[in-house]
Amino acid sequence: MQHYQPIQYQNSYPRMFRMFKMFAIVGCALVTVIFYGSCAKDYENIPLGQQQTLELTFDSHDSAGTYALRYLSEVYNDALINGHNRVSKDYLDAATDDALSSSTSLSAVEKLASGAYTSTDLNADDNWVSSYKTIRAATVFIVNIDRVPLIEKLPDGRAARPAYKAEARFLRAFTYFGLIKRYGGVPLMGDKIYELTDDLQLPRNSFKECVDYIVSELDLAADSLRSQKEINSGSYGRITKEAAMALKAKVLLYSASPLFNGGNIDPSNPLTGYTSYDKQRWQLAADAAKAVIDLHYYSLMPDFTSVFTTQNQPIAAGTENIFWRQVGNNQDVEKNNGPIGYTSAGGNGRTSPSQNLVDAFPMQNGLAITADGSNYNANDPYKDRDPRLKATVFYNDQPWLNRHIELFDGGTDRPGGTVQQTKTGYYMRKFMGDFSTSNSTVYSNTLHDWVYIRYAGILLDYAEAENEVQGPLAQVYQVLYDLRQRAGIDPGDNGNYGLNPAMNQEQMRAAIHQERRIEMAFEQERYWDIRRWKTADSVYGQPVQGMDIQRTGNGELYYNVQNVFTPHFVAPQMYLYPLPYNEVVKNPAMKQNPGWK
């Protein structure tokens, strides 16, 4: 579970923090807005005064490392972005078939889902410039921290400086991972801090080189990072060895996936993926995830909802969250995304989950709603469903803040007119505090950590990779059993939680994909999953649906599924983002991704 305590300085000590940012970020990072690329020639040489602030930040006489560690805090802030309503006020999942933005104007996520972007008019998720700013800042810390005579020791007696350097190394690797998900192979800068006089006509490294580099950096960081078992209130939130292990597993899972491993959109192009399929890549991913599981330190929390609102300090064994950023104790998620009819509490209803997502949740007996014997009733569609549904999505008649939600046409929470409201007949419930039994009419503060990696995700990563290597073995089934048991699905007479006990590899693959969609909804997984699985063209080929509910005068409800939005996906070019046009036009060595100009 990850957040970095000095991040709180920005709120607690605003003047001090602003002063630090003035000289440490603009100065010590050598004007970090200058990112790696040929456009750097447009900037003037760095003034001598800014060079001197580098000496001040990494002071060779500062045994406490005061300014150096504040600098590292800013690297944390830049690298670890809060995912709640991240993309121009929307969740990234609203650019998939799982949700829509409720915005009354054209939203950034709608542009993502409809392909309304180019290399000159970049999409809202493009992070090329900000990522290289963060990479440079992390490298500045890695290269210069050895100047600082830190006397701090870790609880086990080791010097603290290698751990701090490893934290920056992790953050740099994490940032590179975000780049290769979006663009494929990118320029690797290593530990060199480029100056304006250097040759910046740098080519992209191959996808393989990038993956190998990220994995090696995470292995190197893990050797020096403190274990999560050593975290206490004084070091709460720092990157841990276990986080490095978990991120390595995720990087290897992505690199083993069809988009890069066997399904390269440009088969002979090493920038866009591997040029041949290798099953061993799945084995590496399975082994890395299993290494986290075999720590026997993490486990699934008993209650699915509390995963996102519970914070234990100090950390104790049995936690589910491995790597996250603490966002704060506030009402932001509720007010941004809650149903709009609660005038006292507030609620902008920004996120509209889709009928597609709702239909993905099975019944309480574990059977799909379309399966024989599921007992699904289209006239009472939310009865006896997987309990994760009500923990993820607000649907009609759900209790909330001392009344029941009204999502029928003309209801309090779907009144019609021009006000921002649900487009699908649903609102997002996930990440919010539990106000289902509250007698209050207003929200109270709730912890809203943004979780990057949790144990449930590692289990799913392992199951997916292991199934690709050996098929649906018992340990693969067990992952799905464990997740469904925690969710509250009935085990059934045969203990299979509604799953077919005789699935082949392809059927198990589909089951894992479905379970992942349900378990990880709104956690920025679906958007990347349908790309790495190379299924985005078929997913976006189907309309996003919603539920229209009509209520008669005597209170009867009639449910009608309707198409709400038609996405657009151009395969294969949209499987990767375009590199920013300026990077390509100013640097002949920088090759654009296929299909983009």
Side-chain angles (χ1 to χ4, degrees):
M1 193 168 178
Q2 308 298 135
H3 82 91
Y4 186 48
Q5 195 68 32
I7 289 172
Q8 302 299 321
Y9 293 161
Q10 191 164 9
N11 296 324
S12 303
Y13 310 104
R15 277 183 288 184
M16 179 186 73
F17 197 90
R18 286 198 297 269
M19 179 185 72
F20 167 70
K21 287 185 70 175
M22 179 176 67
F23 70 76
I25 300 305
V26 176
C28 295
L30 306 181
V31 194
T32 54
V33 294
I34 302 175
F35 55 92
Y36 296 107
S38 57
C39 60
K41 66 184 180 182
D42 295 332
Y43 292 82
E44 297 178 352
N45 289 330
I46 300 166
L48 178 61
Q50 292 181 0
Q51 296 175 12
Q52 291 171 339
T53 60
L54 183 65
E55 300 293 335
L56 177 60
T57 300
F58 299 98
D59 188 348
S60 61
H61 302 289
D62 181 13
S63 61
T66 304
Y67 292 114
L69 295 183
R70 290 179 190 166
Y71 181 95
L72 179 60
S73 172
E74 187 63 19
V75 179
Y76 265 81
N77 273 334
D78 288 344
L80 304 185
I81 306 300
N82 171 18
H84 291 299
N85 297 96
R86 176 181 70 84
V87 185
S88 299
K89 299 183 180 180
D90 288 302
Y91 282 83
L92 185 59
D93 297 59
T96 74
D97 58 338
D98 277 359
L100 297 174
S101 170
S102 301
S103 173
T104 56
S105 59
L106 181 63
S107 63
V109 287
E110 185 175 332
K111 291 182 179 180
L112 274 173
S114 58
Y117 56 90
T118 67
S119 64
T120 56
D121 183 16
L122 300 171
N123 69 61
D125 188 57
D126 174 87
N127 68 348
W128 184 278
V129 173
S130 61
S131 291
Y132 276 107
K133 171 182 175 288
T134 301
I135 288 166
R136 180 183 175 90
T139 303
V140 167
F141 183 88
I142 292 166
V143 170
N144 290 284
I145 187 59
D146 286 341
R147 300 182 185 183
V148 182
L150 280 173
I151 60 174
E152 181 184 350
K153 302 288 185 182
L154 299 181
D156 64 0
R158 291 184 296 146
R161 185 196 294 122
Y164 290 129
K165 183 185 290 190
E167 289 168 24
R169 196 176 298 279
F170 173 99
L171 294 170
R172 186 172 66 179
F174 177 68
T175 304
Y176 272 121
F177 179 44
L179 284 169
I180 67 170
K181 285 196 297 186
R182 290 166 172 82
Y183 308 101
V186 297
L188 297 173
M189 316 313 296
D191 287 346
K192 180 174 175 58
I193 302 173
Y194 283 81
E195 307 297 343
L196 298 182
T197 55
D198 292 331
D199 179 11
L200 297 176
Q201 303 289 302
L202 301 174
R204 298 167 63 181
N205 287 79
S206 71
F207 179 79
K208 179 184 185 303
E209 289 171 336
C210 291
V211 171
D212 290 348
Y213 175 77
I214 294 169
V215 169
S216 66
E217 287 288 283
L218 291 172
D219 283 341
L220 183 60
D223 289 340
S224 298
L225 288 166
R226 67 195 82 198
S227 170
Q228 195 159 340
K229 298 175 183 179
E230 301 172 315
I231 295 296
N232 54 38
S233 59
S235 57
Y236 183 70
R238 292 194 178 279
I239 299 297
T240 64
K241 175 179 181 178
E242 293 81 8
M245 294 172 64
L247 182 57
K248 173 183 174 179
K250 192 158 290 292
V251 172
L252 290 171
L253 181 79
Y254 271 77
S255 66
S257 298
L259 178 60
F260 303 111
N261 184 24
N264 188 337
I265 62 172
D266 190 5
S268 62
N269 186 348
L271 300 176
T272 53
Y274 297 107
T275 55
S276 62
Y277 173 77
D278 187 349
K279 187 177 181 179
Q280 181 62 20
R281 295 186 184 111
W282 285 112
Q283 184 67 66
L284 292 173
D287 291 346
K290 189 64 161 55
V292 178
I293 295 169
D294 286 346
L295 293 171
H296 301 296
Y297 184 71
Y298 299 99
S299 62
L300 297 174
M301 293 181 66
D303 178 48
F304 174 75
T305 305
S306 65
V307 171
F308 310 100
T309 57
T310 301
Q311 190 175 92
N312 299 315
Q313 188 175 1
I315 297 284
T319 185
E320 181 167 338
N321 293 335
I322 302 172
F323 168 39
W324 84 89
R325 170 176 175 154
Q326 183 184 16
V327 175
N329 192 28
N330 53 48
Q331 303 165 32
D332 291 351
V333 175
E334 288 83 1
K335 291 190 172 182
N336 286 333
N337 305 283
I340 65 167
Y342 294 85
T343 54
S344 298
N348 290 321
R350 182 72 186 199
T351 306
S352 297
S354 67
Q355 188 66 44
N356 314 57
L357 174 62
V358 171
D359 286 348
F361 285 84
M363 301 297 290
Q364 176 84 43
N365 58 22
L367 295 176
I369 63 172
T370 56
D372 292 339
S374 71
N375 299 320
Y376 174 72
N377 182 358
N379 295 317
D380 194 2
Y382 315 121
K383 182 182 179 182
D384 296 332
R385 298 292 293 276
D386 178 342
R388 286 174 295 186
L389 176 59
K390 69 179 180 181
T392 304
V393 172
F394 285 119
Y395 49 78
N396 186 62
D397 204 36
Q398 202 167 335
W400 193 249
L401 284 178
N402 205 31
R403 70 169 174 86
H404 287 245
I405 296 172
E406 297 181 356
L407 285 167
F408 49 83
D409 188 29
T412 303
D413 304 296
R414 197 176 191 182
T418 58
V419 65
Q420 179 174 287
Q421 61 191 283
T422 177
K423 294 179 179 178
T424 61
Y426 303 102
Y427 290 106
M428 189 192 77
R429 159 70 178 88
K430 199 169 186 178
F431 311 121
M432 297 185 187
D434 185 5
F435 300 100
S436 60
T437 59
S438 174
N439 292 322
S440 175
T441 58
V442 296
Y443 295 118
S444 56
N445 287 346
T446 300
L447 288 165
H448 293 124
D449 293 346
W450 179 256
V451 181
Y452 295 100
I453 305 177
R454 59 187 177 97
Y455 188 59
I458 289 294
L459 290 175
L460 285 164
D461 293 350
Y462 170 70
E464 181 180 343
E466 191 67 26
N467 183 59
E468 296 300 329
V469 176
Q470 301 191 71
L473 301 180
Q475 57 266 35
V476 176
Y477 269 99
Q478 192 61 51
V479 167
L480 302 187
Y481 293 161
D482 289 346
L483 290 172
R484 289 185 164 216
Q485 180 186 46
R486 189 268 291 275
I489 290 177
D490 299 333
D493 294 338
N494 58 9
N496 289 324
Y497 295 88
L499 295 168
N500 175 3
M503 287 187 276
N504 59 31
Q505 185 184 55
E506 184 177 355
Q507 291 168 325
M508 176 57 80
R509 181 185 299 127
I512 292 169
H513 288 189
Q514 188 83 331
E515 199 72 26
R516 189 179 185 92
R517 181 182 190 179
I518 295 165
E519 177 74 24
M520 311 299 288
F522 299 108
E523 296 181 48
Q524 291 194 151
E525 294 288 338
R526 178 70 173 170
Y527 184 85
W528 300 113
D529 282 345
I530 60 178
R531 283 160 174 78
R532 69 180 180 85
W533 293 331
K534 213 176 179 186
T535 59
D537 51 341
S538 61
V539 168
Y540 285 112
Q542 302 298 318
V544 177
Q545 296 182 316
M547 179 67 81
D548 174 63
I549 307 174
Q550 297 294 322
R551 187 174 72 163
T552 65
N554 61 8
E556 290 183 282
L557 299 177
Y558 291 89
Y559 297 87
N560 305 288
V561 175
Q562 59 182 195
N563 296 340
V564 180
F565 174 70
T566 302
H568 179 70
F569 190 88
V570 179
Q573 73 182 60
M574 284 178 62
Y575 275 109
L576 295 174
Y577 289 175
L579 275 65
Y581 176 77
N582 286 341
E583 289 298 299
V584 176
V585 74
K586 292 182 178 181
N587 179 3
M590 190 78 73
K591 302 300 182 185
Q592 182 59 276
N593 275 328
W596 299 101
K597 297 181 180 179

